[in-house]
Amino acid sequence: MTLMAAVDASVKVAGLQDLTIHRSVSSIPFAGRYRLIDFALSNLVNADINSVGIFASQPFGSLIDHIGVGKSWDLDRRKEGLFFLPTTHQNGGIATVGSFRDFEEHLQFFEKSRQTHVVVTSSFVAGQLDYKEMLAHHLASGKDITEAVGASGSLKSYILSRRLMLELIRSYREKRILSVEDLVNLKKAPYSYGVYEYKGYFAIIDSIQQYFKESLGLLDENNRRLLFLPQAPIYTKVKDEPPTRYLDGSSVSNSMMANGSTILGNVKNSIISRAVTVGINASLDSCIIMQKCTIEENCELSYVIADKDVYIEKGVKLSGTADRPIVLRKGERVTKEDSQ
Amino acid sequence: MNEKVVAMLLAGGQGSRLKSLTYDIAKPAIPYGGKYRIIDFPLSNCTNSGITTVGVLTQYQPHALHRYIGLGTPWDLDRHKGGVTMLPPYAEIDGIKWYAGTASAIYQNINFLTSCEPDYVVILSGDHIYKMDYEKLVEYHKEKQADVTVSVLEVPWEEASRFGIVNTDEDMNIVEFDEKPEKPKSNLASMGVYVFDWEKLERYLEEDNNIEESTHDFGKDILPKMLKDQQKMVAYPFKGYWKDVGTVDSLWEANMDLLDPSAGLVLHDPAWRIYSSNPQLPPQVITETGRVQGSMVNEGCVISGTVSHSVIFQNVLIDKEAVVEDSVVMSGTKIGRGAHLSRVIVPPDVTVPEKYRLLEPAAGITLLTQDLIDTWKESGQQ
């Protein structure tokens, strides 16, 4: 029994608008150097799944830029490998995972495959789901569809046979179901539904609050140990950034730091992405700073999420709260006057 | 450039003064700068200079280098036309032809070069740390209508007698080579970077091969012979950071130079990236007890101790109360709680025990070895 995978990168998640103006949920930066889809893709390739379709809807420029031909995930194959399968519908993407309308548009992807079973997964969950184990569980259970469920809810990952997938794609309209998630939630007859209990770490990113909480949650060593397993690496696009520089007079504690940054100021309880500059005497507490941001000298930021390319001029003071972090949108420039 | 430029990168050196660091890898494969290997610098220079055909000549302990370079993907050298070609010595009907000197290494691969149909050949050394635009060098060579151009660097006068010194006239024409002169007449040192017109290079390599007493070396044989024959030979004045790391001390210095903005080697430069093979590791973490000052740290590290003025490679774990200062710690190393390291190079994958300290701190830089750690354990000092 072998697996192919359909990654749903077109799901609309209502609570993340500030971070999804220019990108899909799947390409939201997470954990300093990753995009959310890296976790789904890495889980798949770590289970030796070599046939992966990414179902995307607009705007997917950022996603394509990130994934390319799939080289970072070893999915640039002659045989099978990565398939980028965008929907042609203007309003592609629905609120549940595994849209049959999207699958129907690329029916051939499922028809032509030589694999026996299909993984359907979302692209906004970070975890270490072992699909080999899940497939074994699915086969042993004899159920038609198996859903991965963890302590705090569904991982929105499913396994079903390719034969059943084709049947559902051909009949979803008359059955009045929208997606795999929809089908599993409704438990429509005549199918049988099983649950695969997932015991590891996972984070569902479906709101700004969740994004903030789960990001900073990675500062807890236990979470990190469960998410970053040496035997199951999380792969991402290679960037060739040099190591991060910590200059004299800087102070960093309890923080996760990606490469290529230059730190002159003070950082604590924060996640700093690639190629960020933190100026002299600037203080960051409980912040998530995405790639290529500049924070000039004497800034004081707490509970701030700064999207890519944000420029914060000197002396800016911003403070949000854990429940309501301040979100600075991609490319925004903040001056001292703005913040007063 | 309409003409075709091929780079030949000499990467067969042993670097015996680097002791245990080069027991099983060639000098160009030595880790440097927190994530790189030295050969990343000339390879990235080629890529950034638009040279897309590169031959890498290996001989001493070539396996790590061959595996590291692979198809050349990290340097964008996996190409349909040209790209990177690994050139170890090989056997012919007449027997195996080891590379006796720098010139013989190129001579043995004359068939490779002929098949590339180059107009110009750039000879590079795989063990120098520097950022250089070879395109400018080749342009200069063309402008001067030279047969060979030697890249030179101004060195401090008091150090000039350690280098191969090049004496020139006012127009930068080379009039004399002075190998490690006692009384240098100039402070322009050869960097071991040459551009040749291919036809001239081919001719002189063939000739040199037939001279029995030749050491088959560019600096000692080929260039002096060309000078004697009054071939047009010019010096190209290179400005910028350049370092030949031959010893443990100079490898340490070259790493420390990265922490000193005035030293002139900037890695944080999107316009001239140094490419490298990137392992997939999570971001580094500085924990609640971790302190990092004046240092560079790579991905995958977890720092719970104090790091000052040091270069820390990927996947290094530094436990609480450990202190690392003025040191270079290579990948995969674990530094135990309360250990203290100062002015040390720690090779890859070493486990430094808790409370370890150097028994006899050397005047220079200590290359930490398992022997030193075992001796410390036996001394019962813990």
Side-chain angles (χ1 to χ4, degrees):
Chain A
M1 300 291 132
T2 53
L3 287 168
M4 65 188 295
V7 179
D8 188 337
S10 72
V11 186
K12 297 272 188 268
V13 181
L16 288 163
Q17 279 101 338
D18 281 326
L19 300 177
T20 54
I21 298 167
H22 305 285
R23 58 167 87 89
S24 62
V25 174
S26 59
S27 62
I28 292 178
F30 186 67
R33 64 187 290 270
Y34 303 96
R35 303 292 182 126
L36 282 177
I37 197 169
D38 293 342
F39 297 91
L41 288 180
S42 300
N43 287 180
L44 294 169
V45 299
N46 286 334
D48 300 328
I49 300 172
N50 296 317
S51 175
V52 177
I54 296 179
F55 292 81
S57 61
Q58 292 284 4
F60 51 62
S62 138
L63 182 62
I64 291 185
D65 178 50
H66 182 69
I67 306 271
V69 293
K71 201 171 193 70
S72 292
W73 299 269
D74 214 12
L75 286 172
D76 54 331
R77 304 280 110 212
R78 289 267 156 104
K79 237 186 200 175
E80 305 195 312
L82 183 90
F83 299 85
F84 195 82
L85 307 168
T87 173
T88 57
H89 294 282
Q90 274 302 318
N91 285 311
I94 57 171
T96 54
V97 172
S99 156
F100 288 118
R101 191 179 71 177
D102 291 359
F103 292 166
E104 186 181 31
E105 273 199 75
H106 300 284
L107 186 62
Q108 283 208 339
F109 171 66
F110 299 100
E111 275 182 342
K112 279 192 169 175
S113 175
R114 295 170 298 117
Q115 320 298 334
T116 58
H117 286 72
V118 185
V119 170
V120 175
T121 182
S122 68
S123 54
F124 54 91
V125 176
Q128 278 286 5
L129 190 50
D130 181 342
Y131 287 109
K132 279 186 179 172
E133 205 182 284
M134 185 170 164
L135 176 64
H137 177 93
H138 172 77
L139 295 172
S141 74
K143 305 283 193 206
D144 291 319
I145 302 181
T146 297
E147 176 184 24
V149 177
S152 56
S154 171
L155 276 80
K156 310 212 173 185
S157 288
Y158 311 88
I159 288 181
L160 64 165
S161 70
R162 189 168 63 91
R163 185 193 46 74
L164 176 57
M165 176 59 112
L166 288 168
E167 181 184 315
L168 290 167
I169 295 172
R170 291 188 179 114
S171 63
Y172 76 96
R173 285 200 171 88
E174 61 195 72
K175 288 196 169 75
R176 296 179 177 277
I177 41 171
L178 292 169
S179 65
V180 177
E181 183 182 354
D182 193 32
L183 174 71
V184 169
N185 289 344
L186 294 170
K187 304 244 172 343
K188 282 243 180 189
Y191 307 116
S192 58
Y193 301 85
V195 163
Y196 166 72
E197 251 181 80
Y198 171 76
K199 298 202 176 64
Y201 164 92
F202 75 109
I204 298 182
I205 310 303
D206 56 5
S207 67
I208 290 289
Q209 288 71 27
Q210 271 296 102
Y211 179 78
F212 189 77
K213 185 182 136 233
E214 297 293 0
S215 293
L216 295 192
L218 291 174
L219 297 175
D220 182 337
E221 192 185 347
N222 296 320
N223 289 339
R224 273 202 321 273
R225 280 212 173 136
L226 292 169
L227 183 57
F228 299 115
L229 306 173
Q231 70 277 22
I234 306 300
Y235 300 97
T236 189
K237 185 181 178 185
V238 164
K239 286 289 186 178
D240 285 296
E241 294 285 354
T244 280
R245 289 185 292 185
Y246 301 80
L247 279 83
D248 285 328
S250 69
S251 141
V252 178
S253 74
N254 194 35
S255 294
M256 192 176 220
M257 320 284 294
N259 263 2
S261 293
T262 302
I263 312 297
L264 297 98
N266 311 305
V267 177
K268 63 176 180 184
N269 311 324
S270 295
I271 311 263
I272 308 291
S273 194
R274 292 180 298 94
V276 168
T277 304
V278 178
I280 293 176
N281 224 5
S283 290
L284 274 61
D285 183 2
S286 307
C287 290
I288 298 164
I289 309 295
M290 297 189 202
Q291 59 266 42
K292 295 186 185 164
C293 286
T294 301
I295 292 140
E296 286 193 336
E297 58 204 71
N298 300 319
C299 287
E300 282 177 33
L301 310 179
S302 59
Y303 298 95
V304 170
I305 299 173
D307 202 339
K308 196 175 165 181
D309 291 322
V310 164
Y311 198 103
I312 305 180
E313 291 187 8
K314 54 183 146 191
V316 167
K317 293 185 170 62
L318 292 172
S319 55
T321 63
D323 291 331
R324 299 202 60 167
I326 292 172
V327 183
L328 302 171
R329 289 179 175 179
K330 187 179 167 188
E332 208 171 315
R333 193 178 180 102
V334 187
T335 65
K336 202 173 171 182
E337 291 71 40
D338 292 340
S339 68
Q340 279 165 355
Chain B
M1 280 187 269
N2 291 322
E3 291 98 337
K4 184 160 182 195
V5 182
V6 173
M8 295 292 268
L9 184 47
L10 297 159
Q14 179 183 353
S16 55
R17 286 174 301 158
L18 285 154
K19 304 177 197 170
S20 65
L21 284 173
T22 55
Y23 284 173
D24 49 14
I25 55 170
K27 194 173 148 192
I30 288 180
Y32 167 74
K35 75 175 279 194
Y36 307 95
R37 292 181 186 260
I38 294 173
I39 199 167
D40 289 335
F41 286 80
L43 278 176
S44 301
N45 287 342
C46 285
T47 304
N48 289 327
S49 305
I51 298 178
T52 55
T53 305
V54 181
V56 179
L57 299 111
T58 59
Q59 177 157 280
Y60 175 78
Q61 289 287 8
H63 295 121
L65 263 183
H66 284 230
R67 196 172 54 240
Y68 181 68
I69 293 174
L71 301 173
T73 310
W75 305 273
D76 241 356
L77 290 170
D78 51 334
R79 288 173 182 266
H80 286 191
K81 284 186 189 167
V84 72
T85 306
M86 302 305 288
L87 301 168
Y90 57 92
E92 285 185 358
I93 289 169
D94 315 345
I96 297 179
K97 295 184 171 167
W98 296 106
Y99 300 156
T102 51
S104 95
I106 305 293
Y107 174 76
Q108 309 287 8
N109 290 290
I110 237 167
N111 288 340
F112 167 78
L113 274 170
T114 307
S115 73
C116 294
E117 301 177 333
D119 296 292
Y120 304 102
V121 177
V122 181
I123 308 288
L124 302 169
S125 175
D127 45 16
H128 296 161
I129 299 164
Y130 64 121
K131 299 200 296 189
M132 179 173 182
D133 190 342
Y134 303 137
E135 192 174 353
K136 285 188 183 152
L137 171 69
V138 174
E139 286 303 319
Y140 179 90
H141 173 84
K142 285 197 269 188
E143 259 168 48
K144 293 275 181 185
Q145 297 183 312
D147 295 307
V148 55
T149 301
V150 179
S151 186
V152 297
L153 177 84
E154 266 187 60
V155 294
W157 278 96
E158 59 273 19
E159 288 177 32
S161 52
R162 296 200 294 117
F163 292 91
I165 292 298
V166 169
N167 298 325
T168 65
D169 66 14
E170 286 162 2
D171 294 326
M172 294 305 276
N173 290 306
I174 296 174
V175 293
E176 192 185 8
F177 285 100
D178 232 350
E179 189 60 30
K180 298 184 181 165
E182 265 181 50
K183 287 184 183 158
K185 289 181 221 157
S186 126
N187 66 337
L188 296 178
S190 167
M191 295 160 61
V193 172
Y194 317 111
V195 188
F196 285 89
D197 277 12
W198 164 232
E199 281 167 25
K200 285 280 157 62
L201 176 64
E202 190 179 19
R203 196 179 103 202
Y204 276 90
L205 285 174
E206 298 274 8
E207 274 181 33
D208 177 72
N209 185 54
N210 294 327
I211 301 171
E212 226 164 82
E213 61 272 23
S214 171
T215 59
H216 309 299
D217 185 90
F218 278 105
K220 290 190 194 112
D221 305 291
I222 302 277
L223 294 177
K225 180 73 174 31
M226 287 179 81
L227 195 63
K228 209 173 122 204
D229 292 353
Q230 297 190 316
Q231 300 291 330
K232 184 159 169 79
M233 194 175 289
V234 297
Y236 171 79
F238 171 76
K239 295 212 164 32
Y241 183 91
W242 180 85
K243 194 135 192 155
D244 177 3
V245 285
T247 62
V248 169
D249 280 24
S250 66
L251 177 63
W252 178 84
E253 278 166 23
N255 276 285
M256 293 301 122
D257 284 344
L258 292 171
L259 306 176
D260 175 8
S262 69
L265 181 61
V266 180
L267 297 177
H268 288 241
D269 176 5
W272 201 272
R273 272 262 184 269
I274 303 303
Y275 301 99
S276 185
S277 184
N278 288 273
Q280 293 273 8
L281 296 168
Q284 55 201 272
V285 174
I286 317 295
T287 69
E288 202 78 61
T289 55
R291 292 290 172 268
V292 183
Q293 289 272 299
S295 297
M296 281 176 76
V297 182
N298 196 13
E299 288 166 343
C301 290
V302 179
I303 313 285
S304 301
T306 299
V307 175
S308 73
H309 202 244
S310 296
V311 174
I312 314 292
F313 283 67
Q314 67 270 19
N315 259 346
V316 169
L317 307 180
I318 300 181
D319 208 344
K320 286 175 191 168
E321 291 150 37
V323 176
V324 176
E325 54 189 16
D326 303 315
S327 294
V328 177
V329 182
M330 294 182 181
S331 61
T333 284
K334 291 185 179 64
I335 298 182
R337 190 167 182 156
H340 192 121
L341 296 174
S342 179
R343 296 170 68 77
V344 171
I345 293 182
V346 187
D349 301 316
V350 171
T351 300
V352 178
E354 284 184 18
K355 295 185 182 165
Y356 176 82
R357 58 207 59 215
L358 286 178
L359 289 177
E360 290 166 44
I365 301 307
T366 306
L367 176 63
L368 196 65
T369 57
Q370 197 56 48
D371 280 353
L372 280 175
I373 293 171
D374 292 344
T375 313
W376 175 82
K377 280 183 183 162
E378 283 155 20
S379 76
Q381 293 230 352
Q382 50 270 61

